Amino acid sequence: MTPELLSIVGLGAMFVVATLLPVNMGVLAFAGAFLLGTLVAGLTTKAIIGFFPSGLFLTLVGITYLFAIAQANGTIDWLVRLAVKAVRGRVVMIPWIMFLVAAALTAVGAVSPGAVAIIAPIALGFAIKYGISPLLMGLMVIHGAQAGGFSPISIYGGITNGVVAKAGLPMDPLVTFAASFAVNAAVAALLFAVLGGRRLFGARVETASANGAPVGGYGRPPRNEPRYGDAETEAISAERRIAAGQTQTDADPMADNRAYQMLTLGGLILLAVLTLAINIDIGFCAITIGLALSLVAPTLQRRAIAQVTWPEIVLITGVSTYVGVMEKMGTISYVADGVAGLASPLTAALLLCLIGAVVSAFASSTAVLGSLIPLAVPFLQGDTGVGAIGFIAAMAVSSTIVDVSPFSTNGALVLANSPEGSRDGFFRQLLLYGAIVTLVAPFVVWFLFVVL
């Protein structure tokens, strides 16, 4: 077995192990990078450490830290309630409000699982209270999070655009963003029509309690906590306490302070302005704004640090380090040449989209973006007749729209917050829908963005 093929087998083995066992794929990738680099590629440990994406690490820590503060002090929950109030209680608009809020969160830098963890308990609580299909509400949240996921300042967008820019390929971040938003919005509209959205016309939210939640609360949280990393579990538990109508005022008087929430909102707006208009590094900017907010309410600092999505950060940086070793070994060119030699360029492009979709349905989309897009870059550098901008858009959508699978983080979060009495049926519905999307979406986006 050649070294290049061995590195690919190792990557595949990581996906399998991380799917079957509750082991963080990033830890597997760090160990794999060390073993592959030293035993096969002949690299020193110093050279392997050089592949660690320090800039991406800073970005992930900064963004998740800032949004953990916004979640802990009730700002996100407050914004959702304002959005519902803005539509004057029209129930038919609630699924779309959840879609747009989730999209806005990921568009300005929140990781997709973080946005779903924040919005899903509230959205599914609304579904239970007002007779909306829980499946519809859960899928609207996931597709909303994916719709905003490729903005120029988002995590997915940063990974994708960074890889393409490094390869010197033609790049248009707004095209990828628009493609992801349009496809997910179209799917959401189809789901809205099929899953009972039309019968919501004319229905209204009757009454609101003092804290802005519907009478009876947002719905009962699930009995068992999902199995995530400790930081993610703590973050989700905190959000469920908010969803159940419990405040954190007793723990910290600033945790439900409206002035502090407005200050936090100002910080989020400032982050978008500084990174979009002035092009300041989003990692440093987010950490600095988060620090300023922490100094106002120091006791929330510890909770926010605990809610940083460390498992996701380890996963992304670990896979990126392993891919760096693969690139140094020449595996990228090896795979690209193999795919190009197996079929026509259009068929090869479709094959890569299918691979991205299938793998992402059972593993993290961030891991897929960090590993499969680098494998596809050399394929685009050749004279294949496939446009780089369209292909990157197709592959980006294929690798993320399948996060509705109950085996992915987003799907698991929605499943964990589904109605307890019908959770088995909800799982089967989510599984069937995830299978359909996984098999159909790559063909659709390939045709739209590569063939046309």
Side-chain angles (χ1 to χ4, degrees):
M1 184 180 296
T2 64
E4 294 85 0
L5 186 57
L6 183 62
S7 67
I8 297 172
V9 171
L11 182 62
M14 292 176 199
F15 280 116
V16 172
V17 173
T19 301
L20 298 178
L21 301 175
V23 179
N24 188 294
M25 185 175 170
V27 176
L28 294 171
F30 278 124
F34 169 67
L35 296 175
L36 182 68
T38 55
L39 300 180
V40 179
L43 299 174
T44 64
T45 53
K46 183 177 181 179
I48 297 172
I49 293 174
F51 297 121
F52 180 83
S54 55
L56 180 58
F57 172 81
L58 181 65
T59 296
L60 292 171
V61 172
I63 289 173
T64 55
Y65 173 61
L66 178 58
F67 273 87
I69 293 175
Q71 178 180 342
N73 65 25
T75 300
I76 301 299
D77 188 52
W78 171 54
L79 293 177
V80 171
R81 294 199 302 268
L82 286 179
V84 173
K85 185 177 179 180
V87 299
R88 298 181 180 179
R90 289 188 288 268
V91 176
V92 70
M93 295 299 299
I94 292 177
W96 290 106
I97 289 295
M98 299 303 159
F99 176 92
L100 292 174
V101 171
L105 289 177
T106 54
V108 299
V111 292
S112 180
V116 173
I118 292 168
I119 303 301
I122 301 172
L124 290 170
F126 272 121
I128 296 169
K129 178 67 178 177
Y130 296 106
I132 306 172
S133 166
L135 181 63
L136 171 62
M137 287 292 273
L139 294 178
M140 291 291 279
V141 172
I142 296 176
H143 283 297
Q146 301 309 98
F150 283 94
S151 78
I153 64 171
S154 68
I155 299 299
Y156 288 166
I159 294 173
T160 305
N161 299 332
V163 170
V164 177
K166 183 178 179 181
L169 295 172
M171 178 180 64
D172 191 336
L174 293 180
V175 170
T176 305
F177 179 34
S180 178
F181 195 97
V183 171
N184 281 280
V187 172
L190 179 61
L191 290 170
F192 184 83
V194 172
L195 297 178
R198 290 173 294 180
R199 66 178 177 80
L200 300 178
F201 285 95
R204 286 184 173 272
V205 175
E206 296 176 359
T207 314
S209 63
N211 67 354
V215 173
Y218 288 113
R220 186 173 54 185
R223 187 185 316 167
N224 298 321
E225 295 286 348
R227 293 183 179 179
Y228 305 106
D230 290 342
E232 290 186 6
T233 300
E234 186 169 338
I236 296 168
S237 298
E239 187 60 33
R240 285 180 180 157
R241 287 194 296 271
I242 296 174
Q246 301 173 13
T247 67
Q248 302 174 22
T249 308
D250 293 339
D252 190 309
M254 298 297 290
D256 202 24
N257 184 286
R258 186 50 46 82
Y260 187 41
Q261 292 170 352
M262 294 181 67
L263 182 63
T264 303
L265 176 60
L268 298 178
I269 295 174
L270 180 63
L271 174 69
V273 171
L274 292 178
T275 54
L276 284 174
I278 310 179
N279 200 30
I280 297 178
D281 181 84
I282 188 172
F284 279 119
C285 189
I287 288 178
T288 302
I289 294 173
L291 173 61
L293 293 172
S294 295
L295 292 176
V296 177
T299 55
L300 287 179
Q301 155 83 11
R302 184 176 180 180
R303 188 182 310 144
I305 288 292
Q307 292 176 18
V308 170
T309 54
W310 297 112
E312 284 287 322
I313 294 174
V314 171
L315 186 151
I316 296 169
T317 56
V319 171
S320 296
T321 303
Y322 186 88
V323 170
V325 175
M326 292 178 68
E327 185 175 6
K328 182 67 175 180
M329 295 173 58
T331 305
I332 309 299
S333 300
Y334 175 84
V335 171
D337 293 341
V339 171
L342 287 175
S344 68
L346 285 177
T347 305
L350 174 60
L351 177 62
L352 290 173
C353 288
L354 279 170
I355 293 173
V358 172
V359 174
S360 183
F362 294 93
S364 170
S365 295
T366 49
V368 172
L369 289 171
S371 58
L372 292 186
I373 287 182
L375 296 179
V377 168
F379 168 77
L380 300 175
Q381 291 176 324
D383 187 16
T384 62
V386 177
I389 294 177
F391 175 79
I392 292 298
M395 192 168 185
V397 175
S398 297
S399 300
T400 54
I401 198 171
V402 296
D403 276 3
V404 294
S405 163
F407 301 109
S408 70
T409 305
N410 286 347
L413 285 167
V414 169
L415 179 63
N417 288 281
S418 62
E420 288 189 37
S422 58
R423 189 160 298 164
D424 289 342
F426 192 91
F427 171 79
R428 287 192 292 270
Q429 292 174 334
L430 204 60
L431 180 62
L432 176 61
Y433 177 72
I436 293 173
V437 170
T438 302
L439 295 176
V440 174
F443 287 92
V444 174
V445 297
W446 167 78
F447 180 77
L448 290 176
F449 304 125
V450 178
V451 177
L452 294 184

